[in-house]
Amino acid sequence: MAAVLRAGLDGSPPSLPTQHWRILRALLACRTPALGGHRYRCQECGQTHFVPHSCRNRHCPLCQGQAAREWLDQQQRALLPVPYFHVVFTLPHVLNPLIRQNQRALYTLLFQVVSQTLLQFGQNRWGVQLGVTAVLHTWSQTLLDHYHLHCIVTGGGLSRDNSRWVSAPAHYLFPVAALSKVYRGKFLSGLEKLYAGGKLQFKGQLAGLAAPNPFGQLLRQAAQHPWVVYAKQPFAGPLQVLTYLSRYTHRVAISPRRLLALDSQHQTVTFAWRDYADGSKRKTMTLPVGEFLRRFCLHLLPERMVKIRHYGLLGNRQRHERVARARELLVQAGLGSPSLPPSAPPPGPVCPFCGSEQLQLIQIVEPIRPAIVDSS
């Protein structure tokens, strides 16, 4: 990945926001001597080796595996012995140019609208407070912008007075057509309020949308068709949820294993992708490195923008108390299941020569030069 990014930045580097430069520099420095590291001696075979530091940037495909494991250790305590449902809310592509210029405002609106829609349905249908975990994804398989939220929803929730756990049907949560209608109405209403409050930007090619008539036309165009809400098969239980979350929550726009070739002579990069419109067939795509870099940067999040959020009984305020109460009620109702297995300790460093874990730290290597590392 670093080689592809470096190729895209060599020569005539593109004009990028300062925040994007900080992220790209962190990714380029990841696991190189530029960030320093530790030198170990193996007490079994006597060999020494150097372990470079990671950038720990949330956009870095090399670092997200460890970040996902750490996050999962924290989330295990909140998982309940109930079915979980997977619902995906997608924004129409006609709004993509507006979202690109207003990422923070419209990502925030998307989280608000989706969480309000799901919690409202839970209250209206069963009189309960659901638990919702929402994960923002902004990309398609070809790295174009495709804005959507993946939501993991508890199969039921706490009653208003916290005296009962009310279960949802095992294989059905809400009608997606009704979810889509409410979701669309709430988002377009929120978009109108942002526009009326002067909180949207219209730069460059979007300058014409700043006038009321063109903006209203955009909203009418977005409202013409049903918005895509997709309910996937429910998870069998918390263990299956953990398996899913472990490979999905910290995913970045493209993983290193999808990168197939970098042609330095022709300045192109080839990567694998799945065409879901063609039976999920695996295909390849070749792009100029500059275009690849442009597409990759579409998915760099605004600084301190939180992309994983919890709502309802999983919301941060009184979360532990609500989850403990829900677990107590489930046990009383005979709906409890065996507890989740304890999380495995994080793997420690091993000798690359013999595989031994008997390592002795012999040197802390300082960074070669100051590196801009952004963990946002």
Side-chain angles (χ1 to χ4, degrees):
M1 186 64 179
V4 175
L5 295 179
R6 192 172 293 108
L9 295 172
D10 282 345
S12 301
S15 176
L16 296 172
T18 301
Q19 170 69 2
H20 287 188
W21 277 113
R22 295 177 64 195
I23 294 171
L24 294 176
R25 286 170 182 158
L27 269 57
L28 289 171
C30 185
R31 305 191 187 189
T32 71
L35 293 183
H38 293 76
R39 193 175 303 280
Y40 294 94
R41 175 180 291 111
C42 177
Q43 295 181 314
E44 290 289 334
C45 67
Q47 296 278 4
T48 63
H49 69 280
F50 176 70
V51 178
H53 288 157
S54 303
C55 68
R56 300 185 66 84
N57 189 284
R58 63 176 172 175
H59 300 91
C60 178
L62 297 177
C63 294
Q64 288 310 292
Q66 179 61 31
R69 286 189 290 271
E70 294 172 357
W71 184 81
L72 278 174
D73 287 342
Q74 300 172 359
Q75 301 307 311
Q76 282 193 17
R77 294 185 292 273
L79 284 171
L80 297 170
V82 300
Y84 282 78
F85 292 84
H86 181 192
V87 188
V88 184
F89 293 78
T90 302
L91 288 172
H93 288 180
V94 69
L95 295 177
N96 284 1
L98 184 65
I99 297 171
R100 286 187 213 121
Q101 289 195 15
N102 298 274
Q103 290 182 340
R104 185 179 299 277
L106 297 190
Y107 291 165
T108 299
L109 178 62
L110 178 59
F111 274 110
Q112 290 173 345
V113 164
V114 168
S115 61
Q116 289 169 5
T117 299
L118 287 169
L119 294 178
Q120 176 182 317
F121 269 70
Q123 287 286 355
N124 293 345
R125 189 171 181 84
W126 297 303
V128 301
Q129 185 182 52
L130 301 171
V132 179
T133 294
V135 184
L136 174 66
H137 281 191
T138 64
W139 56 85
S140 69
Q141 281 281 300
T142 57
L143 295 186
L144 292 174
D145 31 9
H146 177 58
Y147 303 103
H148 54 289
L149 275 190
H150 290 264
C151 298
I152 310 301
V153 188
T154 56
L158 287 173
S159 60
R160 286 193 177 98
D161 60 1
N162 287 349
S163 65
R164 294 179 300 123
W165 175 270
V166 180
S167 297
H171 301 291
Y172 181 76
L173 188 62
F174 305 123
V176 293
L179 282 174
S180 174
K181 185 177 180 180
V182 173
Y183 161 53
R184 178 183 62 187
K186 286 181 178 291
F187 191 92
L188 292 178
S189 175
L191 202 52
E192 285 187 291
K193 290 178 182 178
L194 289 173
Y195 176 78
K199 296 181 180 179
L200 296 177
Q201 298 183 47
F202 301 93
K203 299 177 181 179
Q205 295 181 345
L206 292 189
L209 283 179
N213 286 341
F215 186 77
Q217 184 178 358
L218 174 66
L219 296 187
R220 289 190 294 273
Q221 186 179 358
Q224 283 180 354
H225 304 286
W227 288 21
V228 177
V229 177
Y230 176 53
K232 295 190 175 184
Q233 285 292 107
F235 297 104
L239 291 178
Q240 194 181 40
V241 174
L242 272 183
T243 301
Y244 173 84
L245 290 176
S246 66
R247 60 181 174 83
Y248 215 82
T249 51
H250 288 69
R251 184 178 294 178
V252 297
I254 189 167
S255 62
R257 66 176 179 273
R258 287 178 57 198
L259 296 174
L260 303 179
L262 172 63
D263 188 331
S264 300
Q265 180 179 357
H266 296 94
Q267 286 292 286
T268 61
V269 57
T270 301
F271 62 94
W273 66 289
R274 289 195 180 276
D275 188 349
Y276 294 117
D278 190 16
S280 295
K281 290 183 180 177
R282 181 180 170 90
K283 300 181 178 181
T284 62
M285 178 173 289
T286 299
L287 295 174
V289 290
E291 173 61 12
F292 178 89
L293 180 63
R294 184 193 73 82
R295 294 190 186 191
F296 181 80
C297 288
L298 289 175
H299 313 295
L300 302 181
L301 296 175
E303 190 172 10
R304 290 186 291 277
M305 183 78 198
V306 179
K307 74 170 186 176
I308 307 173
R309 305 188 186 189
H310 307 281
Y311 300 95
L313 68 90
L314 298 179
N316 291 333
R317 182 176 295 180
Q318 296 182 331
R319 174 182 183 176
H320 298 301
E321 292 82 355
R322 286 193 298 265
V323 170
R325 179 57 177 163
R327 187 171 284 115
E328 176 187 356
L329 292 170
L330 286 164
V331 171
Q332 291 175 4
L335 300 176
S337 65
S339 59
L340 293 169
S343 57
V350 298
C351 175
F353 301 100
C354 70
S356 171
E357 297 181 359
Q358 302 299 315
L359 300 179
Q360 178 186 10
L361 175 64
I362 59 175
Q363 183 184 12
I364 297 177
V365 180
E366 298 296 327
I368 293 177
R369 56 177 173 78
I372 300 176
V373 179
D374 173 42
S375 58
S376 67

